[in-house]
Amino acid sequence: MNPLTNTLYDIAIIGAGVAGSYCANALQQAGYQVCLLEKGRGTGGRASSRRLASADNAPQQSCDLGAPFFHQEFPQLTKDIDHWLAAGVIAPWPVADNDKGLAFTGTPSMSALTRYLSRHCEVFSSQRVSHIDRIDDVWQLRDERYQLLLQAKRVVITAPAAQSAQLLTSADAPQEWLQQAHRASRQCRPQWAAVVSDEGDNDSLISGLFNPLDVEHPVLTKIICDSAKPERQATKQRWVIQANLDWSEANKDIKAEVVAEAMLAAFNDLLTAQTEIKINAVIATPHLWRLGRHQTSNQQALSMPCDPVSMLWNKECGLAVAADWLGTGTVASAMLGAQQLSAAIIADKP
């Protein structure tokens, strides 16, 4: 197998989610030659969007099956958020505001933000990096068969904790980083999510399920009206439903069709409790986020909520980590970690 490219990059970033895309944009602007390697088919990570089946000649529809929005938790992100608003890749969603801060969602989908941030970088999709080794001051990135993918002077890891732990088994990575990733991976929970659409001719607004709704139910924990988000052009009312974490854990190995039946029944139960309107609810195949919910492994993030440290950087070996699991476990925490890391790398530029 030949490498993806013979280019020796200044920085290779593993993971094209929010943190990876943010780092790629900031470092590319600072003059580094950067590439992104993503195991999925496109950017976004857990802020990715799912395309939905549509009729012939109908506009392509999508929904945010992962993170539905993010909050402006940290004042350090204000300048970035203002820039993204001006670029039209995010928009305020006031109904989702809470005590963490103002809420924002991507437009026309959450993955619009990561596509915007990665637009000037080389992105290698459907490429899972399983091993990293450092030889003569150059990092070798390899796949599960230990075949060389590409080489870089520095590596930034922005993957979930369990996948980061696999990469950090490298003899060239700091041992304490591996231990921290292992601790975080033990705190990660799977979560089922699915899309429910109203396929009937009902034109009435189901106001009880219009705003993001946290629910107490044995199966479901949250209902988000995806079609109500700003700048969506949905032709039907559509919701993303997220399953209870305990229920997801207990049913993580169950067939998707069985999960779909249980989640749709729970949605109909809640719909009956919230409104008298009856709809023809249809559910799409659920998706299991096996690494869906992270709790922080960083005690400093808990003790310093206004300025958590959400990244790791070792200048000597040219290795770094930025991820939500190093901070408070939120999308904004991933952004803050990427901002902190990018600034640290740029400050160390010769």
Side-chain angles (χ1 to χ4, degrees):
M1 174 180 174
N2 294 322
L4 296 172
T5 172
N6 292 322
T7 301
L8 175 61
Y9 291 93
D10 292 325
I11 301 173
I13 301 172
I14 301 173
V18 170
S21 299
Y22 185 109
C23 285
N25 180 62
L27 296 171
Q28 187 85 14
Q29 288 187 357
Y32 290 98
Q33 187 172 14
V34 179
C35 71
L36 280 157
L37 293 101
E38 168 56 43
K39 64 182 179 63
R41 290 180 293 178
T43 66
R46 280 176 291 141
S48 60
S49 306
R50 169 184 280 189
R51 291 182 179 178
L52 303 175
S54 58
D56 292 341
N57 301 320
Q60 180 67 57
Q61 300 283 307
S62 66
C63 69
D64 298 330
L65 198 60
F69 46 79
F70 67 92
H71 290 104
Q72 190 172 357
E73 299 177 44
F74 310 108
Q76 300 95 318
L77 295 174
T78 299
K79 185 176 179 180
D80 288 315
I81 289 173
D82 288 344
H83 174 79
W84 300 334
L85 285 168
V89 293
I90 66 170
W93 198 24
V95 297
D97 294 349
N98 64 14
D99 55 1
K100 289 184 178 180
L102 301 179
F104 299 88
T105 187
T107 55
S109 64
M110 280 293 287
S111 57
L113 177 58
T114 55
R115 289 196 299 271
Y116 174 77
L117 291 171
S118 61
R119 68 196 186 282
H120 296 312
C121 302
E122 286 192 81
V123 180
F124 298 100
S125 58
S126 301
Q127 300 295 331
R128 181 185 290 272
V129 182
S130 298
H131 310 275
I132 57 172
D133 300 294
R134 194 165 183 249
I135 301 174
D136 297 330
D137 297 332
V138 174
W139 285 97
Q140 320 281 321
L141 283 70
R142 301 179 181 273
D143 63 15
E144 66 277 3
R145 294 174 295 172
Y146 208 68
Q147 297 295 311
L148 181 65
L149 293 173
L150 56 77
Q151 302 181 89
K153 298 175 185 177
R154 301 173 186 83
V155 170
V156 173
I157 300 171
T158 66
Q163 295 168 357
S164 297
Q166 179 183 357
L167 297 170
L168 292 172
T169 58
S170 169
D172 302 287
Q175 183 66 27
E176 61 271 21
W177 293 11
L178 175 60
Q179 295 171 354
Q180 193 164 345
H182 276 313
R183 287 195 298 270
S185 65
R186 288 197 295 268
Q187 297 170 17
C188 185
R189 310 278 309 273
Q191 185 173 45
W192 282 102
V195 183
V196 175
S197 300
D198 178 5
E199 296 300 322
D201 296 325
N202 175 41
D203 294 326
S204 300
L205 177 65
I206 303 175
S207 58
L209 295 181
F210 182 73
N211 298 339
L213 184 67
D214 293 311
V215 296
E216 294 185 7
H217 190 276
V219 176
L220 299 182
T221 189
K222 187 181 283 290
I223 298 173
I224 305 105
C225 189
D226 191 85
S227 55
K229 290 181 179 180
E231 300 187 33
R232 297 304 196 270
Q233 297 180 347
T235 56
K236 299 285 186 178
Q237 291 190 73
R238 186 173 60 238
W239 299 265
V240 171
I241 55 177
Q242 297 177 350
N244 178 290
L245 293 179
D246 291 337
W247 187 88
S248 294
E249 180 72 44
N251 291 274
K252 63 183 179 183
D253 298 318
I254 302 298
K255 290 183 178 180
E257 311 88 76
V258 178
V259 169
E261 185 177 345
M263 292 182 73
L264 182 58
F267 175 82
N268 284 325
D269 287 346
L270 290 165
L271 180 64
T272 302
Q274 292 288 326
T275 176
E276 296 181 357
I277 298 175
K278 295 185 181 297
I279 67 171
N280 179 21
V282 177
I283 191 168
T285 303
H287 176 76
L288 178 63
W289 296 96
R290 290 195 175 273
L291 305 175
R293 293 280 182 163
H294 278 96
Q295 297 175 356
T296 181
S297 67
N298 189 341
Q299 292 303 311
Q300 187 176 13
L302 296 176
S303 62
M304 301 175 64
C306 294
D307 191 20
V309 177
S310 306
M311 65 85 176
L312 302 168
W313 165 235
N314 187 306
K315 177 182 178 181
E316 286 66 35
C317 70
L319 184 63
V321 182
D324 57 358
W325 56 267
L326 286 169
T328 57
T330 63
V331 174
S333 179
M335 293 173 177
L336 183 61
Q339 182 190 82
Q340 294 168 336
L341 177 58
S342 302
I345 294 176
I346 293 168
D348 286 335
K349 189 174 184 180

